[in-house]
Amino acid sequence: MQFSQLALGAVLALVGFLPVPSHAADKITVTDIAGRQVQVNAPVEKVILGEGRQMYFVATLDTDHPFKRVVGWRDDLQKADLDGYKDYLAKYPQIDKIPTFGGFKEGTFDVEQAVSLKPDVILLNIEAKTATDDAKLIEKLARIDIPVVFVDFREKPFENTDASMRIIGKLFGKETRAEEFIAFRKAQIDLVTERLAKANPPRPVVMVERAAGYSDDCCMSFGNENFGKFVEVAGGQNLAAKIIPGTFGVVNPEQIIAANPDQVIVTGSNWELYVPGGAWVGVGSGADKAKARDKLAALMKRPAYTGVKAVRDHQVHAIWHQFYNSPYQFIAIQAMAKWLHPDLFRDVDPEATMKTLYERFLPVPYKTGYWVSLADKE
């Protein structure tokens, strides 16, 4: 993120001409995921989303009208989840007119544009903190009374999802709704963890490939967090746990072959706007499952998976990548538990759980297609 002193001067000059917000609000203090105490006039009426995919949590709270507070956002939702974006666009056609911000293309954030939108708060993912610190963006925005609040559903989702939902619930004046979602999420995870604790089955070795087919490189994966943690919670042993020290990293083909995983799970999405015609597996809302399964099978012909047990046994699966950056991780955990321990979770239906999530908390209709498996008989 870059920000010139000249631009700052222009912004400060502009601020003197901005009207004071007219809505009734109380000054509250929230402690964000970075541990910062931030004062915000709440409930907020105008929000800038530092990432478009933050709509995943906004929609669970403002289900009646998920875009009513959003005055600006990054342009990543359409690119990272084209099918999901189309679902929302069909119901809320005005979203293609919401001002978009940099960060995705050039690593820049247009502060002048942000100020002109008069936001009550800017929500940023925790992974943006280093860049904002380097640019001293928070201090510059504070000088013009625009608070920044950090949330996290990606770096440490098991530690920070509930806290992030409570922060946003407080900012939106939707604390009760946030607690309803948190309770639903917990119940769905408990369904898996309690049964595993009682049965204590052997844990299959699982290779999770992050964004398989997005590029020619192989193979991006997860350490002890995010999908790596999902595997452990679902009753598996994450192949990359001892290879990748942080949340994200790379496993080389030789390590995969040597580990000979029992199961392979790849993440995918409709990335046509990122990598047109790519080898990625386009799972997501309304996905063509047959096409996704064909692409998944093609990915297993790469050298990294030569002769591994999972491929021989058809224990190869693809799942929606955006579970990694949303509060919906519990769906992925149920789907993975069913793959890893089919007999133990024979009666668990992640598809029904996903449908319930949509019916209770989301404003658009549910469409199947968020995962496929080479073990499927359909």
Side-chain angles (χ1 to χ4, degrees):
M1 293 185 182
Q2 301 173 344
F3 186 82
S4 69
Q5 292 298 321
L6 181 60
L8 176 59
V11 168
L12 293 174
L14 175 62
V15 158
F17 297 97
L18 293 178
V20 176
S22 59
H23 65 276
D26 296 322
K27 182 78 75 174
I28 65 168
T29 300
V30 298
T31 302
D32 72 4
I33 295 302
R36 302 163 50 249
Q37 289 195 327
V38 185
Q39 289 194 326
V40 183
N41 290 317
V44 296
E45 289 192 352
K46 294 184 177 182
V47 178
I48 289 176
L49 302 181
E51 184 171 282
R53 283 171 289 179
Q54 291 177 339
M55 183 48 57
Y56 298 141
F57 63 70
V58 170
T60 66
L61 300 181
D62 281 340
T63 311
D64 58 333
H65 191 342
F67 298 94
K68 66 183 179 183
R69 305 178 206 264
V70 181
V71 296
W73 58 351
R74 270 182 60 185
D75 61 357
D76 59 288
L77 178 60
Q78 184 176 9
K79 296 179 174 68
D81 180 18
L82 181 58
D83 296 326
Y85 178 83
K86 287 180 177 178
D87 287 345
Y88 280 95
L89 182 64
K91 186 168 182 179
Y92 306 101
Q94 72 274 17
I95 69 174
D96 66 353
K97 296 181 175 62
I98 297 175
T100 58
F101 285 84
F104 165 70
K105 293 180 180 178
E106 301 172 353
T108 60
F109 184 90
D110 189 337
V111 179
E112 290 185 62
Q113 182 188 17
V115 172
S116 72
L117 296 171
K118 303 185 286 292
D120 299 313
V121 70
I122 297 176
L123 295 176
L124 294 181
N125 290 350
I126 193 66
E127 60 265 25
K129 190 171 188 303
T130 298
T132 57
D133 286 348
D134 290 346
K136 299 190 183 301
L137 180 64
I138 295 171
E139 293 88 342
K140 291 165 183 173
L141 289 169
R143 290 177 62 184
I144 49 180
D145 200 28
I146 297 178
V148 172
V149 171
F150 288 100
V151 296
D152 177 42
F153 298 90
R154 181 176 181 266
E155 297 296 320
K156 296 183 178 180
F158 278 87
E159 180 178 329
N160 293 330
T161 290
D162 288 355
S164 294
M165 290 300 296
R166 288 188 172 107
I167 290 167
I168 302 153
K170 190 172 182 180
L171 292 174
F172 286 12
K174 292 290 187 74
E175 293 95 333
T176 300
R177 182 71 167 170
E179 292 301 330
E180 289 174 0
F181 179 84
I182 289 167
F184 176 68
R185 175 180 179 271
K186 181 179 185 301
Q188 302 311 314
I189 294 175
D190 287 350
L191 182 64
V192 173
T193 57
E194 291 175 1
R195 192 172 299 189
L196 284 169
K198 184 176 180 180
N200 193 26
R203 289 176 171 264
V205 176
V206 182
M207 170 61 195
V208 181
E209 185 176 355
R210 175 165 54 100
Y214 185 89
S215 71
D216 292 333
D217 296 334
C218 183
C219 295
M220 296 187 295
S221 190
F222 301 85
N224 286 316
E225 260 298 350
N226 208 288
F227 264 97
K229 183 75 169 181
F230 300 174
V231 165
E232 301 289 340
V233 175
Q237 179 183 340
N238 177 22
L239 181 155
K242 295 181 179 178
I243 299 172
I244 298 172
T247 301
F248 306 103
V250 175
V251 178
N252 67 50
E254 293 78 14
Q255 290 171 314
I256 298 172
I257 293 170
N260 196 24
D262 301 298
Q263 304 259 350
V264 172
I265 299 172
V266 311
T267 70
S269 189
N270 185 342
W271 286 317
E272 188 63 27
L273 298 183
Y274 275 145
V275 186
W280 39 264
V281 182
V283 285
S285 178
D288 181 333
K289 290 185 177 183
K291 181 178 180 181
R293 207 174 285 115
D294 288 345
K295 294 181 78 172
L296 176 59
L299 287 171
M300 291 302 104
K301 295 178 181 178
R302 293 172 297 166
Y305 296 102
T306 301
V308 302
K309 184 176 185 297
V311 177
R312 294 197 310 269
D313 296 345
H314 307 291
Q315 295 304 306
V316 178
H317 326 281
I319 195 163
W320 189 51
H321 182 75
Q322 309 310 333
F323 283 125
Y324 97 130
N325 194 22
S326 77
Y328 314 154
Q329 316 99 342
F330 57 93
I331 305 288
I333 290 166
Q334 287 192 359
M336 293 163 73
K338 198 171 180 74
W339 289 329
L340 304 186
H341 303 284
D343 292 334
L344 185 60
F345 294 101
R346 189 179 304 276
D347 62 324
V348 173
D349 186 352
E351 191 89 43
T353 305
M354 190 77 167
K355 186 176 181 182
T356 301
L357 168 69
Y358 268 75
E359 290 173 347
R360 287 187 59 184
F361 293 100
L362 298 176
V364 292
Y366 174 61
K367 299 175 184 175
T368 189
Y370 284 88
W371 52 83
V372 296
S373 173
L374 297 188
D376 290 347
K377 295 181 173 58
E378 56 183 291

